[in-house]
Amino acid sequence: MEDKIKALHELMESSLSKVKDKSELSDFWQTYFSKKGKISELMKGLGKVSKEERPAVGKIINDFKVSAKARYREVEQILEKKELELRNKAETIDITLPAKKREKGCLHPITLVKNQMIDVFAGMGFEIFEGPEIEDESHNFTRLNVPENHPARDMQDTFYVADGILLRTHTSPGQIRVMDTEKPPIKVLVPGRVFRSDSDATHSPMFHQMEGLVIDRKITLCDLQGMLDKFVRNIFGESVRTRLRPSYFPFTEPSVEVDVSCFECGGKGCNLCKQTGWIEVLGGGIVHPKVLENGGIDPNEYSGLAFGIGIERIAMLKYGINNIGLFFENDLRFLSQFRD
Ligand code: DAH
């Protein structure tokens, strides 16, 4: 028995010295220490040893088992160390390599223009209000003085989502929502997405507007022009002027179309202003008394001004963009030009 153990000891040492990696080490464990392994086999052989010798032989086997396990752990640690060294070597960082460049993002041109607009009007004391994109006919049309079956509803090609429910065609319903919750003096901006069934180089089914509403005592068209003067100078440059032309919107009376003197040619006439010296930029007017009434405000006491600005239109003019689709294609070659 002792000879057998000695032979096994030698065999173990020689096979352990050949172990090169973890999988071979695990094979070694199977061969020696598993239930059917060589050490269990020795234990089973103990039955054949005489009673007197059994304790001594048992001890020898046990000592062998303990020392074999210790050797196993030693080899295991050496292998682990080797593996770690190899891994560290493979992961060495070459500090001379050029750094990976992380591209800086930038704001979308619509966001840039929207923020600039908000800045100008916030400087005049306007607050921001945001209404829902899904509206009812009452807020989008009726209470804005566009009666049912009135042809003015056809001015805006509406997307209906259910009976009487639609995607807002403009930010003007924000006027009604503000009047429902606030008392004059009111001075709000309503930015947001609007939707119309319309699509060409300058129209998109979804676009952005910025509504303005001011209600107080003795508000006049002069207030409107003064505020819009300030706005266009901030956006297009100090030398531009505004011009009001009569127009029609159901929710304002009088209604005006606001032109800005051409910032490209200074008013002499060029391709951008179609030789007129003026560029149409937005619509506005004095809030119709019926709209004030619909918002629970007494038109004999208060008057208001309102305007609606197409954000894409301003951005297209400001940056010389001729196709509205570019804003929504998310082509980085286009968008990255607005990095500041
Ligand atoms: N809601 C109008 C549109 O989408 C724009 C507009 C015109 C808004 C005149 C106004 C306004 O507040 O007074 O075409």
Coordinates of all heavy atoms in Angstrom, one line a residue, residues 211-283:
E211 N -46.8 81.5 -30.3 CA -47.9 82.4 -30.1 C -47.6 83.4 -29.1 O -46.9 83.2 -28.1 CB -49.1 81.6 -29.7 CG -50.4 82.3 -29.7 CD -51.0 82.2 -31.1 OE1 -50.5 81.5 -31.9 OE2 -52.0 82.9 -31.3
G212 N -48.0 84.7 -29.3 CA -47.9 85.7 -28.3 C -49.2 86.3 -27.9 O -50.1 86.4 -28.8
L213 N -49.4 86.5 -26.7 CA -50.7 87.1 -26.2 C -50.4 88.1 -25.1 O -49.8 87.8 -24.1 CB -51.7 86.1 -25.8 CG -53.0 86.6 -25.2 CD1 -53.9 87.2 -26.3 CD2 -53.8 85.4 -24.5
V214 N -50.9 89.4 -25.3 CA -50.8 90.4 -24.3 C -52.2 91.0 -24.0 O -52.8 91.4 -25.0 CB -49.8 91.5 -24.7 CG1 -49.7 92.6 -23.6 CG2 -48.4 90.9 -25.0
I215 N -52.7 90.9 -22.8 CA -54.0 91.5 -22.5 C -53.8 92.4 -21.3 O -53.3 92.0 -20.3 CB -55.1 90.4 -22.2 CG1 -55.2 89.5 -23.4 CG2 -56.4 91.1 -21.9 CD1 -56.2 88.3 -23.2
D216 N -54.2 93.7 -21.5 CA -54.2 94.6 -20.4 C -55.1 95.8 -20.8 O -55.8 95.7 -21.9 CB -52.7 95.1 -20.3 CG -52.5 95.6 -18.8 OD1 -53.4 95.9 -18.1 OD2 -51.3 95.7 -18.5
R217 N -55.1 96.8 -20.0 CA -55.9 98.0 -20.4 C -55.1 98.8 -21.5 O -53.9 98.9 -21.4 CB -56.1 98.9 -19.2 CG -57.0 98.2 -18.2 CD -57.5 99.2 -17.1 NE -58.5 98.6 -16.3 CZ -58.2 97.8 -15.2 NH1 -57.0 97.6 -14.8 NH2 -59.2 97.3 -14.5
K218 N -55.9 99.2 -22.5 CA -55.3 100.1 -23.5 C -54.2 99.5 -24.3 O -53.2 100.2 -24.7 CB -54.9 101.5 -22.9 CG -56.0 102.2 -22.2 CD -55.6 103.7 -21.9 CE -56.7 104.5 -21.3 NZ -57.0 104.1 -19.9
I219 N -54.3 98.3 -24.7 CA -53.3 97.7 -25.6 C -53.7 98.0 -27.0 O -54.8 97.9 -27.4 CB -53.2 96.1 -25.4 CG1 -52.7 95.7 -24.0 CG2 -52.4 95.5 -26.5 CD1 -51.3 96.0 -23.8
T220 N -52.7 98.5 -27.8 CA -53.0 98.9 -29.2 C -52.0 98.2 -30.1 O -51.1 97.6 -29.7 CB -52.8 100.4 -29.3 OG1 -51.4 100.7 -29.2 CG2 -53.6 101.2 -28.2
L221 N -52.3 98.5 -31.4 CA -51.4 98.0 -32.5 C -50.0 98.5 -32.3 O -49.0 97.9 -32.8 CB -51.9 98.4 -33.9 CG -52.9 97.5 -34.6 CD1 -53.2 98.0 -36.0 CD2 -52.3 96.0 -34.7
C222 N -49.8 99.7 -31.7 CA -48.5 100.3 -31.5 C -47.7 99.4 -30.6 O -46.5 99.2 -30.8 CB -48.6 101.7 -30.9 SG -49.2 102.9 -32.1
D223 N -48.4 98.9 -29.6 CA -47.6 98.0 -28.7 C -47.2 96.8 -29.5 O -46.0 96.3 -29.3 CB -48.6 97.5 -27.5 CG -49.0 98.7 -26.7 OD1 -48.1 99.4 -26.1 OD2 -50.2 98.9 -26.5
L224 N -48.0 96.2 -30.3 CA -47.7 95.1 -31.1 C -46.5 95.4 -32.0 O -45.5 94.6 -32.0 CB -48.9 94.7 -32.0 CG -48.6 93.5 -33.0 CD1 -48.4 92.2 -32.2 CD2 -49.7 93.3 -34.0
Q225 N -46.5 96.5 -32.7 CA -45.4 96.8 -33.6 C -44.1 97.1 -32.8 O -43.0 96.6 -33.2 CB -45.7 98.0 -34.5 CG -44.7 98.2 -35.6 CD -45.1 99.1 -36.8 OE1 -46.1 99.9 -36.6 NE2 -44.5 98.9 -37.9
G226 N -44.2 97.7 -31.7 CA -43.0 98.0 -30.9 C -42.4 96.7 -30.4 O -41.1 96.5 -30.5
M227 N -43.2 95.8 -30.0 CA -42.6 94.5 -29.5 C -42.0 93.7 -30.7 O -40.9 93.1 -30.6 CB -43.7 93.6 -28.9 CG -44.1 94.2 -27.5 SD -45.5 93.2 -26.8 CE -45.7 94.1 -25.3
L228 N -42.7 93.7 -31.8 CA -42.2 92.9 -33.0 C -41.0 93.6 -33.6 O -40.1 92.9 -34.1 CB -43.3 92.7 -34.0 CG -44.5 91.9 -33.5 CD1 -45.6 91.8 -34.5 CD2 -44.0 90.5 -33.1
D229 N -40.9 94.9 -33.5 CA -39.7 95.6 -33.9 C -38.5 95.1 -33.2 O -37.4 94.8 -33.8 CB -39.8 97.1 -33.6 CG -40.2 97.9 -34.8 OD1 -40.0 97.4 -35.9 OD2 -40.6 99.1 -34.7
K230 N -38.6 95.0 -31.9 CA -37.6 94.6 -31.0 C -37.2 93.1 -31.4 O -36.0 92.8 -31.5 CB -38.0 94.7 -29.6 CG -36.9 94.7 -28.6 CD -37.3 95.2 -27.3 CE -36.1 94.9 -26.5 NZ -35.9 95.3 -25.2
F231 N -38.2 92.3 -31.6 CA -38.0 90.9 -31.9 C -37.2 90.8 -33.2 O -36.2 90.1 -33.3 CB -39.4 90.2 -32.0 CG -39.3 88.9 -32.7 CD1 -38.7 87.8 -32.2 CD2 -40.0 88.8 -34.0 CE1 -38.6 86.6 -32.9 CE2 -40.0 87.6 -34.7 CZ -39.3 86.5 -34.1
V232 N -37.7 91.4 -34.3 CA -37.0 91.2 -35.6 C -35.6 91.8 -35.6 O -34.7 91.2 -36.2 CB -37.8 91.8 -36.8 CG1 -39.1 91.0 -37.0 CG2 -38.0 93.3 -36.7
R233 N -35.3 92.8 -34.9 CA -34.0 93.4 -34.8 C -33.0 92.4 -34.1 O -31.9 92.2 -34.5 CB -34.0 94.7 -34.0 CG -34.6 95.8 -34.7 CD -34.1 97.2 -34.3 NE -34.6 98.2 -35.3 CZ -35.5 99.1 -35.0 NH1 -36.0 99.1 -33.8 NH2 -36.0 99.9 -35.9
N234 N -33.6 91.7 -33.1 CA -32.7 90.8 -32.4 C -32.4 89.6 -33.3 O -31.3 89.1 -33.3 CB -33.5 90.3 -31.1 CG -32.6 89.4 -30.3 OD1 -32.4 88.2 -30.7 ND2 -32.2 89.8 -29.2
I235 N -33.4 89.2 -34.1 CA -33.2 88.0 -35.0 C -32.4 88.3 -36.2 O -31.5 87.6 -36.6 CB -34.5 87.4 -35.3 CG1 -35.3 86.9 -34.1 CG2 -34.3 86.2 -36.3 CD1 -34.9 85.6 -33.5
F236 N -32.8 89.4 -36.9 CA -32.2 89.7 -38.2 C -31.2 90.8 -38.3 O -30.6 91.1 -39.3 CB -33.4 90.0 -39.2 CG -34.3 88.9 -39.4 CD1 -35.6 89.0 -39.0 CD2 -33.9 87.7 -40.0 CE1 -36.5 88.0 -39.2 CE2 -34.8 86.6 -40.1 CZ -36.1 86.8 -39.7
G237 N -31.0 91.5 -37.2 CA -30.0 92.6 -37.2 C -30.7 94.0 -36.9 O -31.9 94.2 -37.2
E238 N -29.9 94.8 -36.3 CA -30.4 96.1 -35.8 C -31.0 97.0 -36.9 O -31.8 97.9 -36.6 CB -29.3 96.9 -35.1 CG -29.1 96.4 -33.6 CD -30.3 96.5 -32.8 OE1 -31.0 97.5 -32.8 OE2 -30.6 95.5 -32.1
S239 N -30.6 96.8 -38.1 CA -31.0 97.8 -39.2 C -32.4 97.5 -39.7 O -32.9 98.3 -40.5 CB -30.0 97.8 -40.3 OG -29.9 96.5 -40.8
V240 N -33.0 96.3 -39.4 CA -34.3 96.0 -40.0 C -35.4 96.8 -39.4 O -35.4 97.1 -38.2 CB -34.6 94.5 -40.0 CG1 -33.5 93.7 -40.8 CG2 -34.7 93.9 -38.6
R241 N -36.5 97.0 -40.2 CA -37.7 97.7 -39.7 C -38.9 96.8 -40.0 O -38.8 95.8 -40.8 CB -37.9 99.0 -40.4 CG -36.9 100.1 -40.0 CD -36.9 101.2 -41.0 NE -36.5 100.9 -42.3 CZ -37.2 101.2 -43.4 NH1 -38.2 102.0 -43.3 NH2 -36.7 100.8 -44.6
T242 N -40.0 97.1 -39.4 CA -41.2 96.3 -39.6 C -42.3 97.2 -40.4 O -42.2 98.4 -40.3 CB -41.9 95.8 -38.3 OG1 -42.2 96.9 -37.5 CG2 -41.0 94.8 -37.6
R243 N -43.1 96.5 -41.0 CA -44.3 97.1 -41.7 C -45.5 96.3 -41.5 O -45.4 95.1 -41.6 CB -43.9 97.2 -43.2 CG -45.0 97.7 -44.1 CD -44.6 97.8 -45.5 NE -44.8 96.5 -46.2 CZ -44.7 96.4 -47.6 NH1 -44.3 97.4 -48.3 NH2 -44.9 95.2 -48.1
L244 N -46.6 96.9 -41.1 CA -47.8 96.2 -40.9 C -48.7 96.4 -42.2 O -48.9 97.5 -42.7 CB -48.6 96.7 -39.7 CG -47.8 96.8 -38.4 CD1 -48.8 97.2 -37.2 CD2 -47.2 95.4 -38.0
R245 N -49.2 95.2 -42.6 CA -50.2 95.3 -43.8 C -51.5 94.7 -43.3 O -51.5 93.8 -42.5 CB -49.7 94.4 -44.9 CG -48.8 95.1 -45.9 CD -48.4 94.2 -47.0 NE -47.7 93.0 -46.6 CZ -48.2 91.8 -46.7 NH1 -49.4 91.6 -47.2 NH2 -47.5 90.7 -46.3
P246 N -52.6 95.3 -43.8 CA -53.9 94.8 -43.3 C -54.1 93.3 -43.8 O -53.6 93.0 -44.9 CB -55.0 95.7 -44.0 CG -54.2 96.7 -44.8 CD -52.8 96.4 -44.7
S247 N -54.7 92.5 -43.0 CA -54.9 91.1 -43.3 C -56.2 90.6 -42.7 O -57.0 91.4 -42.2 CB -53.7 90.3 -42.8 OG -53.9 89.0 -43.2
Y248 N -56.4 89.3 -42.7 CA -57.6 88.8 -42.0 C -57.3 87.5 -41.2 O -56.7 86.6 -41.8 CB -58.7 88.4 -43.0 CG -59.9 87.7 -42.4 CD1 -60.8 88.4 -41.5 CD2 -60.0 86.3 -42.5 CE1 -61.8 87.7 -40.9 CE2 -61.0 85.6 -41.9 CZ -61.9 86.3 -41.1 OH -62.9 85.6 -40.4
F249 N -57.6 87.5 -40.0 CA -57.7 86.3 -39.2 C -59.0 86.4 -38.3 O -59.3 87.5 -37.9 CB -56.5 86.2 -38.2 CG -55.1 86.1 -38.9 CD1 -54.3 87.2 -39.0 CD2 -54.7 84.9 -39.5 CE1 -53.1 87.1 -39.6 CE2 -53.5 84.9 -40.1 CZ -52.7 86.0 -40.2
P250 N -59.7 85.3 -38.2 CA -60.9 85.4 -37.4 C -60.8 85.9 -36.0 O -61.7 86.5 -35.4 CB -61.5 84.0 -37.5 CG -60.6 83.3 -38.4 CD -59.3 84.0 -38.6
F251 N -59.6 85.6 -35.4 CA -59.5 85.9 -34.0 C -58.9 87.3 -33.7 O -58.7 87.6 -32.5 CB -58.6 84.8 -33.3 CG -57.7 84.1 -34.2 CD1 -56.4 84.6 -34.4 CD2 -58.1 83.0 -34.9 CE1 -55.6 83.9 -35.3 CE2 -57.3 82.3 -35.8 CZ -56.0 82.8 -36.0
T252 N -58.6 88.1 -34.7 CA -58.1 89.4 -34.5 C -58.8 90.4 -35.3 O -59.3 90.1 -36.4 CB -56.6 89.5 -34.8 OG1 -56.3 88.8 -36.0 CG2 -55.7 89.0 -33.7
E253 N -59.0 91.6 -34.8 CA -59.6 92.7 -35.5 C -59.1 94.0 -35.0 O -59.4 94.4 -33.9 CB -61.1 92.6 -35.4 CG -61.9 93.7 -36.2 CD -61.6 93.7 -37.7 OE1 -61.4 92.6 -38.3 OE2 -61.4 94.7 -38.3
P254 N -58.4 94.8 -35.7 CA -57.9 94.5 -37.1 C -56.8 93.4 -37.0 O -56.2 93.2 -36.0 CB -57.2 95.8 -37.5 CG -56.9 96.5 -36.3 CD -57.9 96.1 -35.2
S255 N -56.6 92.8 -38.2 CA -55.5 91.8 -38.3 C -54.5 92.3 -39.2 O -54.7 93.1 -40.1 CB -56.1 90.5 -39.0 OG -57.1 89.9 -38.3
V256 N -53.2 91.9 -38.9 CA -52.1 92.4 -39.8 C -51.2 91.3 -40.2 O -51.1 90.3 -39.5 CB -51.3 93.5 -39.0 CG1 -52.1 94.8 -38.8 CG2 -50.7 93.0 -37.7
E257 N -50.5 91.6 -41.3 CA -49.4 90.7 -41.7 C -48.2 91.6 -41.5 O -48.2 92.8 -41.8 CB -49.6 90.4 -43.2 CG -49.1 89.1 -43.7 CD -50.0 88.0 -43.4 OE1 -51.2 88.0 -43.9 OE2 -49.6 87.1 -42.6
V258 N -47.2 91.0 -40.8 CA -46.0 91.8 -40.5 C -44.9 91.5 -41.4 O -44.5 90.3 -41.6 CB -45.6 91.5 -39.0 CG1 -44.4 92.4 -38.6 CG2 -46.8 91.8 -38.1
D259 N -44.4 92.5 -42.1 CA -43.2 92.3 -43.0 C -42.0 92.9 -42.3 O -42.1 93.8 -41.5 CB -43.4 93.1 -44.3 CG -44.6 92.6 -45.1 OD1 -45.0 91.4 -44.8 OD2 -45.1 93.3 -46.0
V260 N -40.9 92.4 -42.7 CA -39.6 92.9 -42.2 C -38.8 93.4 -43.4 O -38.9 92.8 -44.5 CB -38.8 91.9 -41.4 CG1 -38.5 90.7 -42.2 CG2 -37.5 92.4 -40.8
S261 N -38.2 94.6 -43.2 CA -37.4 95.1 -44.4 C -36.3 94.1 -44.7 O -35.7 93.5 -43.8 CB -36.8 96.5 -44.0 OG -35.9 96.4 -42.9
C262 N -36.0 93.9 -46.0 CA -35.1 92.8 -46.4 C -33.7 93.0 -45.9 O -33.1 94.0 -46.1 CB -35.1 92.8 -47.9 SG -34.1 91.4 -48.5
F263 N -33.3 92.0 -45.1 CA -32.0 92.1 -44.4 C -30.9 91.7 -45.4 O -29.7 91.9 -45.1 CB -31.9 91.3 -43.2 CG -32.6 89.9 -43.4 CD1 -31.9 88.9 -43.9 CD2 -33.9 89.8 -43.0 CE1 -32.5 87.6 -44.1 CE2 -34.6 88.5 -43.2 CZ -33.9 87.5 -43.7
E264 N -31.3 91.2 -46.6 CA -30.3 90.8 -47.6 C -29.8 92.0 -48.4 O -28.7 92.2 -48.6 CB -30.9 89.7 -48.5 CG -30.0 88.9 -49.3 CD -29.2 87.9 -48.6 OE1 -29.6 87.6 -47.4 OE2 -28.3 87.3 -49.1
C265 N -30.8 92.8 -48.9 CA -30.5 93.9 -49.8 C -30.7 95.3 -49.1 O -30.5 96.3 -49.7 CB -31.3 93.8 -51.0 SG -33.1 94.0 -50.7
G266 N -31.2 95.3 -47.9 CA -31.4 96.5 -47.2 C -32.7 97.2 -47.7 O -32.9 98.4 -47.4
G267 N -33.5 96.6 -48.5 CA -34.7 97.2 -48.9 C -34.7 97.6 -50.4 O -35.7 98.1 -50.9
K268 N -33.6 97.4 -51.0 CA -33.5 97.9 -52.5 C -34.2 96.9 -53.4 O -34.7 97.3 -54.5 CB -32.0 97.9 -52.9 CG -31.3 99.2 -52.3 CD -29.9 99.3 -53.0 CE -28.8 99.7 -52.0 NZ -28.3 98.6 -51.2
G269 N -34.3 95.7 -53.0 CA -35.0 94.7 -53.9 C -34.0 93.6 -54.3 O -32.9 94.0 -54.9
C270 N -34.3 92.4 -54.0 CA -33.4 91.3 -54.4 C -34.2 90.0 -54.6 O -35.4 90.1 -54.5 CB -32.3 91.1 -53.4 SG -32.9 90.5 -51.8
N271 N -33.5 88.9 -54.8 CA -34.3 87.6 -55.1 C -35.0 87.2 -53.8 O -36.1 86.7 -53.9 CB -33.3 86.5 -55.5 CG -33.1 86.6 -57.0 OD1 -33.8 87.3 -57.7 ND2 -32.0 85.9 -57.4
L272 N -34.3 87.4 -52.7 CA -35.0 86.9 -51.4 C -36.3 87.6 -51.1 O -37.3 87.0 -50.8 CB -34.0 87.2 -50.2 CG -34.5 86.7 -48.9 CD1 -34.7 85.2 -48.8 CD2 -33.6 87.2 -47.7
C273 N -36.3 89.0 -51.4 CA -37.5 89.7 -51.1 C -38.4 89.9 -52.3 O -39.3 90.7 -52.4 CB -37.2 91.1 -50.5 SG -36.2 92.1 -51.5
K274 N -38.1 89.1 -53.4 CA -38.8 89.1 -54.6 C -38.9 90.6 -55.1 O -40.0 91.0 -55.6 CB -40.2 88.5 -54.5 CG -40.1 87.0 -54.0 CD -41.5 86.4 -54.2 CE -41.5 85.0 -53.6 NZ -42.0 84.9 -52.2
Q275 N -37.8 91.3 -55.0 CA -37.7 92.6 -55.5 C -38.6 93.7 -54.8 O -38.7 94.8 -55.3 CB -38.0 92.7 -57.1 CG -37.2 91.7 -57.9 CD -35.7 91.7 -57.7 OE1 -35.1 92.7 -57.4 NE2 -35.1 90.6 -57.9
T276 N -39.2 93.3 -53.7 CA -40.2 94.2 -53.1 C -39.5 95.0 -51.9 O -40.0 96.0 -51.5 CB -41.4 93.4 -52.4 OG1 -40.9 92.6 -51.4 CG2 -42.1 92.6 -53.5
G277 N -38.4 94.5 -51.4 CA -37.7 95.1 -50.3 C -38.3 94.7 -49.0 O -37.8 95.1 -47.9
W278 N -39.3 93.9 -49.0 CA -40.0 93.5 -47.7 C -40.2 91.9 -47.7 O -40.4 91.3 -48.8 CB -41.3 94.1 -47.6 CG -41.2 95.6 -47.4 CD1 -41.3 96.6 -48.4 CD2 -41.0 96.3 -46.2 NE1 -41.1 97.8 -47.9 CE2 -40.9 97.7 -46.5 CE3 -40.8 96.0 -44.8 CZ2 -40.7 98.7 -45.5 CZ3 -40.6 96.9 -43.9 CH2 -40.6 98.3 -44.2
I279 N -40.1 91.4 -46.5 CA -40.3 89.9 -46.4 C -41.4 89.7 -45.3 O -41.3 90.2 -44.2 CB -39.0 89.2 -46.0 CG1 -37.9 89.4 -47.0 CG2 -39.3 87.7 -45.8 CD1 -36.6 89.0 -46.5
E280 N -42.4 88.9 -45.7 CA -43.5 88.6 -44.7 C -43.0 87.6 -43.7 O -42.4 86.6 -44.0 CB -44.6 88.0 -45.5 CG -45.9 87.7 -44.7 CD -46.9 87.0 -45.5 OE1 -47.1 87.3 -46.7 OE2 -47.5 86.1 -44.9
V281 N -43.1 88.0 -42.4 CA -42.6 87.1 -41.4 C -43.7 86.5 -40.4 O -43.5 85.4 -39.9 CB -41.5 87.7 -40.5 CG1 -40.2 87.8 -41.3 CG2 -41.8 89.1 -40.0
L282 N -44.8 87.2 -40.2 CA -45.7 86.6 -39.2 C -47.1 87.4 -39.3 O -47.2 88.4 -40.0 CB -45.2 86.8 -37.8 CG -44.8 88.2 -37.3 CD1 -45.9 88.6 -36.3 CD2 -43.5 88.2 -36.6
G283 N -48.0 86.8 -38.6 CA -49.4 87.4 -38.5 C -49.7 87.8 -37.1 O -49.2 87.2 -36.1

